Amino acid sequence: MLEALMQFRHRRFRRDLSAYVDDMLSERARRRLEAHLDSCEACRQELAELRVTVEALGSLPMAEAPRSFTLAAAPVAEVRPRPAARRLEFGLRLATATAAFALALVLIGDFAGLPGGGDEEEEWVRGELYSATRATPAAMEAAPVGTPEPAGIADMPPVVATPTPAAVRVVPTETPAAEETPPAPEAAPVEEPAISADVSEEEPSEKAALEGAGVEDEGQADGAEAQAVDEEDEGGGLSREEAVRWLEIGLGAGVGALVILWAVARFRRSIGNRP
Amino acid sequence: MAIADEGQLVRSSQKGDLDAFNTLVQAYQRQVYNLCLRMLGAAAAEDAAQETFIAAYRRLSGFRGGNFRAWLLRIAANICCDELRRQRSRPAASLAAALEAGSPADVPSDSAGPEEEALRRELGRHLQQGLATLPAEQRLVIILRDVHGLSYEELTEAMGCSLGTVKSRIARGRARMRDYLMARRELLARQFRHKE
């Protein structure tokens, strides 16, 4: 027990030896250490070695500077990114990533065939071609009766062929309704997804033509009436598609405006923080 | 080295007087260079010293009075520690090898005979190798205290830590250096016998 206490005191005095060399002990601590040194050979030895070490370190020569380090010109002010600027940088990156993600969503939506998607435009073209080709045999059948127009319509390009449904509708007057109804589901999605500018421009005239056709065909076969109703629905689809498009544009513009507003606000704040 | 009107030179430097600042550079460049030399070795010391003075000029507005030498050495110490961290991140670079390669023990003494000069160089090499084995903060405090002779008060400023921390680091660093040198006791005995 006494041995352990002595060891503890010895370790504590050893710790003070360095400060004792530099005369940095308080008067009381110095007197205690000196009393201990009188009775502790190991500490005296260690103190002597410590003094030699300090002396050896002090004997290290100071080298001459290899050249002058004077400055020829005042150094340019340090350009360290300020914390606010660093946060701004992160925020801009985040905003860019968000905008890119939103754009990706819109593109995926387009290609996945969601309302307003480009694929549906292709559907429309295919539908038109299909209805036109379906119409051709009917027109051939009708030809002997003296209605040759639909044959020519089949050769028309899809966009220009907008009157095709009307032409198809003319045909049932000569043929059984059962034969004419199948193209209707094909033709139904025809105009709804149309999104290209060309098609949109033609929409009013097309719609008018369709409506006109519907009015003209009111007294005709049931199948034709159903088709006319479908075509009216197509008019509603067009407005929905428009709405989706404007929604997309609005969302894009909104995100962009938010990013710009946020960036301006951050810049103002960072400028305001400057001393 | 003490400058007669250091405070005035510092104030002029803070106002953009480059000549006043260069007077301070000339007064302290040897100490700054030697600190970098002992911390990093000869290869990196020159760049670190120059970087210290450039950084000091840029940060002059942040100097709020007090001990200019301690403030300058603190900048140098930080630059040395940054460089040591960079060296550690490069596995190919060995600090001990760098320190040994550019050993400042080769610094010639002013008035030494051939035998004494050889002994001094050998001891200097061993001391430098011993310093290289210390952790950076202990090496820094030993160099500043035992080689450059800074007071404890200056050390607290130069290292930015408390007096207790300074004392503790000095004690641990010296104990390690003592162990290192006592393993080469014969060299020490010869050196100091020769001096007597």
Side-chain angles (χ1 to χ4, degrees):
Chain A
M1 181 65 187
L2 188 64
E3 184 67 23
L5 185 65
M6 290 296 286
Q7 280 299 320
F8 173 76
R9 289 192 67 196
H10 178 71
R11 276 201 299 275
R12 209 189 63 185
F13 284 126
R14 277 184 68 195
R15 213 173 47 210
D16 286 345
L17 286 175
S18 172
Y20 180 72
V21 169
D22 289 331
D23 198 18
M24 286 298 292
L25 285 180
S26 66
E27 184 63 28
R28 191 177 167 199
R30 186 179 62 80
R31 267 194 261 119
R32 274 187 190 171
L33 178 63
E34 284 173 347
H36 174 75
L37 284 171
D38 287 341
S39 61
C40 181
E41 173 62 30
C43 278
R44 279 202 301 275
Q45 175 70 24
E46 192 164 330
L47 179 64
E49 290 174 356
L50 209 54
R51 283 196 161 126
V52 168
T53 302
V54 172
E55 193 181 349
L57 284 165
S59 74
L60 278 172
M62 292 279 274
E64 285 298 328
R67 63 179 174 83
S68 171
F69 293 109
T70 51
L71 307 181
V76 182
E78 224 166 19
V79 187
R80 279 188 177 179
R82 297 166 63 84
R86 257 182 257 137
R87 283 200 299 276
L88 181 70
E89 190 182 311
F90 171 75
L92 281 173
R93 278 185 191 162
L94 189 68
T96 308
T98 309
F101 181 68
L103 178 65
L105 275 183
V106 168
L107 288 174
I108 288 167
D110 279 351
F111 285 107
L114 293 175
D119 278 359
E120 292 182 18
E121 188 181 359
E122 287 178 23
E123 284 282 315
W124 176 81
V125 172
R126 263 186 270 125
E128 278 297 331
L129 286 171
Y130 182 71
S131 60
T133 46
R134 283 296 299 262
T136 310
M140 295 287 278
E141 282 178 9
V145 191
T147 49
E149 298 89 4
I153 289 164
D155 296 333
M156 292 170 78
V159 173
V160 185
T162 41
T164 306
V168 172
R169 236 173 290 121
V170 174
V171 177
T173 52
E174 309 294 336
T175 51
E179 277 189 53
E180 301 307 316
T181 39
E186 301 284 336
V190 164
E191 287 85 356
E192 188 179 353
I195 199 164
S196 77
D198 291 344
V199 175
S200 304
E201 280 172 16
E202 294 196 11
E203 275 166 13
S205 59
E206 178 195 354
K207 210 171 160 185
L210 291 173
E211 282 168 3
V215 170
E216 280 173 16
D217 295 340
E218 265 179 5
Q220 294 174 355
D222 293 340
E225 279 178 26
Q227 196 166 358
V229 170
D230 285 344
E231 283 162 5
E232 279 176 13
D233 286 346
E234 284 160 22
L238 281 171
S239 65
R240 195 167 67 238
E241 160 218 316
E242 280 282 274
V244 170
R245 255 177 74 202
W246 281 112
L247 185 67
E248 284 176 359
I249 292 167
L251 277 173
V255 169
L258 278 173
V259 168
I260 291 165
L261 275 173
W262 179 82
V264 168
R266 297 304 308 221
F267 271 124
R268 277 189 183 163
R269 201 178 303 167
S270 68
I271 289 166
N273 285 343
R274 282 183 193 162
Chain B
M1 180 190 291
I3 307 175
D5 203 0
E6 184 178 285
Q8 183 55 47
L9 286 171
V10 171
R11 281 189 292 278
S12 299
S13 303
Q14 285 176 320
K15 289 173 189 163
D17 186 343
L18 192 61
D19 291 336
F21 182 74
N22 279 335
T23 307
L24 292 167
V25 171
Q26 283 167 343
Y28 292 114
Q29 61 184 1
R30 193 176 179 205
Q31 289 190 51
V32 167
Y33 173 73
N34 273 273
L35 174 63
C36 299
L37 187 67
R38 300 284 171 203
M39 287 295 287
L40 305 173
E46 205 174 315
D47 285 347
Q50 186 66 78
E51 200 180 330
T52 298
F53 289 113
I54 292 170
Y57 187 85
R58 286 173 171 168
R59 295 178 203 170
L60 267 173
S61 59
F63 178 66
R64 307 279 178 220
N67 190 315
F68 184 76
R69 176 172 78 146
W71 179 78
L72 195 60
L73 289 173
R74 184 174 185 173
I75 292 174
N78 286 336
I79 286 170
C80 289
C81 288
D82 287 347
E83 178 58 24
L84 288 172
R85 270 192 287 275
R86 272 195 294 272
Q87 286 179 4
R88 268 201 297 274
S89 67
R90 278 176 278 161
S94 159
L95 172 64
L99 284 172
E100 209 174 336
S103 176
D106 295 337
V107 177
S109 177
D110 295 335
S111 55
E115 191 188 351
E116 190 183 347
E117 181 64 24
L119 278 170
R120 191 193 57 78
R121 284 186 182 221
E122 195 179 350
L123 176 65
R125 214 163 8 249
H126 282 292
L127 284 169
Q128 190 62 29
Q129 285 170 357
L131 285 170
T133 65
L134 300 183
E137 75 274 6
Q138 288 178 22
R139 192 186 324 156
L140 178 65
V141 78
I142 292 295
I143 292 168
L144 290 176
R145 172 65 197 164
D146 291 335
V147 181
H148 288 247
L150 264 68
S151 69
Y152 276 62
E153 191 186 352
E154 282 178 307
L155 286 172
T156 58
E157 281 187 53
M159 301 187 68
C161 53
S162 69
L163 183 63
T165 306
V166 166
K167 281 183 181 178
S168 165
R169 284 182 185 175
I170 291 175
R172 288 202 301 269
R174 280 176 177 169
R176 279 192 183 217
M177 284 303 291
R178 181 184 66 89
D179 292 344
Y180 188 88
L181 289 177
M182 287 308 120
R184 294 145 186 86
R185 193 184 295 267
E186 192 188 341
L187 178 73
L188 271 178
R190 271 164 46 207
Q191 168 72 8
F192 289 102
R193 190 170 55 241
H194 190 276
K195 281 181 84 172
E196 286 160 8

